[in-house]
Amino acid sequence: MQRLRAIMKKELLHIIRDVRSLTIIFLLPLIMLVLYGYAIRLDLKNIPLAVWDADNSQESRELIRAFTHSGYFTLTLHAITPVDPLEVFQERRAKSVLAIPVDYGARLHDGRAIPVQFLSDASESNTATIAGQYAEQIILSRLMSRFGTDAPLPDVRALVLFNPELESKVFVVPGLVAILFMMICALMTSITIAREKETGTLEQILVSPVRTAEIIIGKLFPYMFLASLIGVVVILIAIFWFGAPFVGSPLLLAVFSIVYLLCSLAIGILISTRVRTVQVAMMAALVITMLPSIMLSGFVFPIASMPLPIRILTHIVPARYFLVIIRGIMLKDASLYLLRFQILPLCILTFILLVVSIRRFRTTLE
Amino acid sequence: MSESAFAVETKDLTQRFGRFTAVDRVTMTVAKGEIYGFLGANGAGKTTTIRILCGLLRPTSGSAFVNGHDVIRYPERVKAGIGYMSQKFSLYEDLRVRDNLVFFGGIYGLGRERIEQRIAEITSATGLTELLTRKVRGLPTGWKQRLALACAVLHDPGIIFLDEPTGGVDPVSRRTFWDFIYSLADAGKTIFVTTHYMDEAEYCHRIAIMYQGRILMCDSPSAIRESTGDALLEDAFIRLITRESDTETGGD
Ligand SMILES: Nc1ncnc2c1ncn2[C@@H]1O[C@H](COP(=O)(O)OP(=O)(O)O)[C@@H](O)[C@H]1O
Ligand SMILES: [Mg+2]
């Protein structure tokens, strides 16, 4: 116990004394989060809009003016002849297209339903979602100004092209947590062990009566603690600043976070047994953990749209499972049963990695 | 067995790395309280031998007893009773002097009070007291080396292994360092030290001259000088090694 405490305390000192790394570890997720939040807000002024005004009447021009006056949209193309939205999006002439039917003015007079079409380029999913919401609001307020409070609600039907898994910012937060856990645990632990190898202090520890288990637990516990702390901070900011929902059980999330953290730590140990220098450890950790966690977990690209070999490969990326688990718990109150196909593989993966890494760690030390 | 008369006792200790033999049938005994030196050029096998004796390396063959315990079979029985200062003094540069001492005390299972007591004793003996709150990074090499020694002996081990402890250190610091080593030996500790400095070898009670993994001769510095008829240890050392390499080439 004495020895375990000595190692933990020393590791904590390393973390605290290294103000620069600590700042980066804490600020990076916050910067990512804030950037993400503000990027949306900045983008959402002056969304380039193309209009196909088939009616070209007094009423249709009023509708267009309502769009431009709102400040959310800037007119980049105004045509009376048909506009091909795909072409417009591909040529980046506009991010949204408003199509007004030929009998718009007449239908408005008669109070008949009007099929106005509003299309958005969903390859920028957030812009698309929010542009759609603005359009809906503008049309609604137009209707209200004409019909008063008993105006008919616009019947909005969304059809998403290009990016079928519409992700909003609330989806980013869970992904961020998954990546941060991986980064702090795998990257930092492999670096600290490699650093002790490089400076020779590991040898100094090994001549003492300290046991392997004490080294591993003592070294890793502080990083698990740090990672959890940052995870909590990020989730709290997401909830209270960005209004992300948290409808599931925090306890359940805590339990699986620990499993996932252990998994990341095991990978970190495994890397450290194979390398001799901090530089190599850093490179290896980036390639083995960070990149797959970002690219192959479904965080950036939907797994369903990956080619088959890559899709198979994603099954050994722990972040893939944890991402679904944390999203499920935070956003949908998913139950254990519902998440069983994520929980089971994650636990198995973690167990195997832990056993292999500790065994390897022990033999390489001898 | 633990009441062995010797602090270190080896027989035909051999370490091979692939086809290369780094330590070649080394047989030696070190008495308790002795300052025993390993003198040899770079690559002679000094570090490898020490690492075996500290339980860091499992030898290819031969036997080694440290403090009466079989270090090959039960390295953990040996560990609490030895101190080891590796060739590059390994300290945590980002921590303070005091943190380093507390840490090395802690991994030997020392309690808080015992650590404080030992820190007080050792820092006053090594002159480190003023520097306790300083970061290790930025300290002169001589002070780092003293701190490394302090860390290695904080748990009050009976045998202390020092692997080229004074490499890159100025003569004055080397002198203070050896004063401290003498005080440890006077207190009954066994010192096992490797070096390639001749003046340092002169400080030892006995030295073993090592060449290509083998011990060519082991005796007191004066006896070695007498046996070759040289006035200086350095001349004796060179004579012994030249003789050895000559017989090798002659035998081919
Ligand atoms: N782990 C190892 N693998 C292969 N060769 C090694 C290893 N450790 C040491 N050696 C070799 O063994 C020889 C003796 O090294 P060492 O004991 O460090 O010598 P010294 O400490 O006397 O300078 C050197 O030639 C060195 O290259
Ligand atoms: Mg050496």
Side-chain angles (χ1 to χ4, degrees):
Chain A
M1 208 51 221
Q2 189 65 245
R3 299 185 297 227
L4 183 63
R5 202 164 55 213
I7 292 184
M8 279 201 290
K9 207 174 131 193
K10 184 215 55 158
E11 213 60 37
L12 269 176
L13 280 179
H14 283 313
I15 296 174
I16 296 167
R17 292 284 152 77
D18 190 359
V19 179
R20 202 159 38 145
S21 302
L22 195 64
T23 322
I24 292 172
I25 290 175
F26 259 97
L27 280 187
L28 196 69
L30 300 189
I31 289 172
M32 278 163 88
L33 213 57
V34 169
L35 269 185
Y36 202 85
Y38 281 113
I40 293 165
R41 269 164 224 170
L42 289 176
D43 259 355
L44 292 189
K45 295 261 177 241
N46 306 320
I47 300 165
L49 175 75
V51 175
W52 169 23
D53 184 2
D55 196 28
N56 197 20
S57 63
Q58 176 80 30
E59 288 79 7
S60 67
R61 282 191 292 272
E62 260 171 40
L63 179 65
I64 295 165
R65 213 170 299 129
F67 267 84
T68 50
H69 281 183
S70 70
Y72 297 134
F73 296 97
T74 305
L75 205 58
T76 54
L77 179 74
H78 187 179
I80 301 164
T81 49
V83 168
D84 178 6
L86 291 186
E87 210 178 283
V88 168
F89 292 155
Q90 262 152 17
E91 288 170 6
R92 303 191 152 274
R93 295 170 70 188
K95 286 195 176 138
S96 293
V97 171
L98 175 69
I100 304 171
V102 71
D103 50 356
Y104 176 82
R107 278 170 179 262
L108 198 63
H109 274 296
D110 307 346
R112 281 181 291 153
I114 313 167
V116 171
Q117 199 177 27
F118 184 80
L119 301 113
S120 287
D121 177 359
S123 60
E124 277 173 52
S125 60
N126 296 291
T127 313
T129 321
I130 301 201
Q133 284 164 6
Y134 287 149
E136 198 179 325
Q137 268 170 28
I138 291 166
I139 292 170
L140 181 64
S141 68
R142 289 286 309 151
L143 289 170
M144 297 247 287
S145 70
R146 189 165 182 103
F147 297 105
T149 44
D150 43 304
L153 283 177
D155 172 18
V156 179
R157 289 168 213 181
L159 172 66
V160 177
L161 302 172
F162 294 147
N163 180 4
E165 288 190 3
L166 247 197
E167 291 199 3
S168 71
K169 66 187 164 190
V170 294
F171 275 96
V172 167
V173 174
L176 217 52
V177 174
I179 288 161
L180 279 172
F181 280 178
M182 199 36 102
M183 182 179 99
I184 296 167
C185 289
L187 188 64
M188 300 296 282
T189 55
S190 62
I191 288 177
T192 70
I193 297 175
R195 190 197 290 143
E196 296 223 24
K197 267 193 192 174
E198 202 176 271
T199 57
T201 45
L202 191 61
E203 187 163 279
Q204 212 68 54
I205 294 176
L206 292 176
V207 293
S208 81
V210 165
R211 281 191 286 264
T212 318
E214 289 169 328
I215 300 177
I216 292 182
I217 298 171
K219 267 195 155 304
L220 306 191
F221 190 80
Y223 289 99
M224 269 182 92
F225 177 74
L226 184 68
S228 314
L229 195 70
I230 294 173
V232 169
V233 169
V234 168
I235 289 175
L236 285 181
I237 290 181
I239 293 172
F240 292 107
W241 193 352
F242 292 110
F246 194 122
V247 292
S249 151
L251 184 71
L252 206 60
L253 182 59
V255 170
F256 291 111
S257 295
I258 289 173
V259 174
Y260 178 67
L261 284 173
L262 281 175
C263 193
S264 320
L265 293 171
I267 297 174
I269 302 170
L270 210 55
I271 293 170
S272 75
T273 61
R274 287 304 193 96
V275 303
R276 278 171 197 281
T277 64
V278 173
Q279 285 231 319
V280 180
M282 210 163 352
M283 293 301 288
L286 279 174
V287 173
I288 294 170
T289 65
M290 294 292 294
L291 288 183
S293 302
I294 295 172
M295 311 301 269
L296 301 181
S297 64
F299 177 63
V300 178
F301 306 115
I303 292 174
S305 58
M306 293 174 184
L308 184 68
I310 309 257
R311 213 152 65 217
I312 293 170
L313 197 66
T314 63
H315 285 280
I316 55 163
V317 177
R320 176 207 159 120
Y321 304 110
F322 185 67
L323 204 66
V324 179
I325 294 174
I326 185 174
R327 276 180 183 167
I329 293 175
M330 272 186 74
L331 309 176
K332 288 181 277 196
D333 193 15
S335 64
L336 277 179
Y337 181 74
L338 215 71
L339 294 174
R340 65 191 181 284
F341 292 122
Q342 276 71 43
I343 289 169
L344 215 63
L346 181 64
C347 290
I348 293 171
L349 204 60
T350 303
F351 181 76
I352 294 173
L353 280 170
L354 269 179
V355 169
V356 172
S357 65
I358 291 175
R359 187 168 294 168
R360 272 207 62 95
F361 190 63
R362 208 169 274 157
T363 50
T364 44
L365 292 190
E366 276 163 8
Chain B
M1 201 60 199
S2 53
E3 283 313 303
S4 160
F6 296 112
V8 177
E9 195 176 357
T10 72
K11 191 158 191 310
D12 291 333
L13 202 60
T14 301
Q15 179 72 61
R16 290 196 193 94
F17 296 113
R19 303 183 62 195
F20 175 74
T21 308
V23 177
D24 192 4
R25 285 164 291 151
V26 164
T27 300
M28 65 179 163
T29 52
V30 179
K32 287 188 171 158
E34 191 173 16
I35 301 179
Y36 186 87
F38 251 22
L39 183 63
N42 279 336
K46 307 182 294 291
T47 301
T48 308
T49 309
I50 281 203
R51 296 189 72 229
I52 295 170
L53 295 177
C54 291
L56 288 168
L57 203 65
R58 193 178 269 268
T60 317
S61 62
S63 65
F65 288 83
V66 174
N67 261 342
H69 298 291
D70 185 339
V71 70
I72 300 159
R73 271 206 249 158
Y74 310 108
E76 59 295 341
R77 289 187 193 167
V78 172
K79 285 178 173 177
I82 60 170
Y84 168 57
M85 183 176 157
S86 69
Q87 196 164 352
K88 38 178 181 178
F89 351 114
S90 313
L91 297 159
Y92 297 102
E93 301 252 327
D94 56 328
L95 302 187
R96 296 174 307 174
V97 169
R98 172 180 199 52
D99 302 326
N100 274 276
L101 288 163
V102 170
F103 171 70
F104 284 107
I107 59 170
Y108 281 91
L110 265 53
R112 196 168 303 168
E113 275 163 40
R114 178 86 180 119
I115 290 179
E116 289 307 320
Q117 183 201 339
R118 287 292 292 157
I119 287 181
E121 284 171 24
I122 290 200
T123 52
S124 71
T126 49
L128 281 163
T129 317
E130 319 266 272
L131 300 175
L132 273 175
T133 53
R134 284 267 299 272
K135 253 193 195 178
V136 173
R137 181 174 298 133
L139 288 184
T141 319
W143 286 104
K144 285 188 188 168
Q145 166 224 37
R146 256 179 265 183
L147 174 58
L149 180 61
C151 289
V153 301
L154 197 80
H155 59 290
D156 204 14
I159 308 177
I160 300 150
F161 292 95
L162 306 166
D163 195 2
E164 295 194 21
T166 56
V169 167
D170 66 278
V172 179
S173 292
R174 222 152 89 191
R175 193 58 209 239
T176 23
F177 187 82
W178 272 93
D179 285 343
F180 186 54
I181 292 190
Y182 266 114
S183 73
L184 288 169
D186 287 345
K189 314 290 180 201
T190 309
I191 313 284
F192 192 117
V193 58
T194 76
T195 185
H196 54 233
Y197 293 117
M198 296 302 152
D199 58 337
E200 217 163 72
E202 288 278 9
Y203 294 136
C204 300
H205 297 149
R206 272 196 308 152
I207 50 175
I209 290 177
M210 207 172 190
Y211 175 71
Q212 293 190 345
R214 277 168 296 138
I215 292 181
L216 299 185
M217 183 179 258
C218 175
D219 215 326
S220 68
S222 56
I224 287 177
R225 274 187 271 115
E226 272 165 34
S227 77
T228 58
D230 289 295
L232 292 171
L233 187 58
E234 183 160 4
D235 295 333
F237 175 73
I238 290 166
R239 193 184 300 277
L240 281 167
I241 283 180
T242 325
R243 198 189 290 161
E244 184 64 25
S245 60
D246 283 351
T247 51
E248 259 168 28
T249 41
D252 272 351

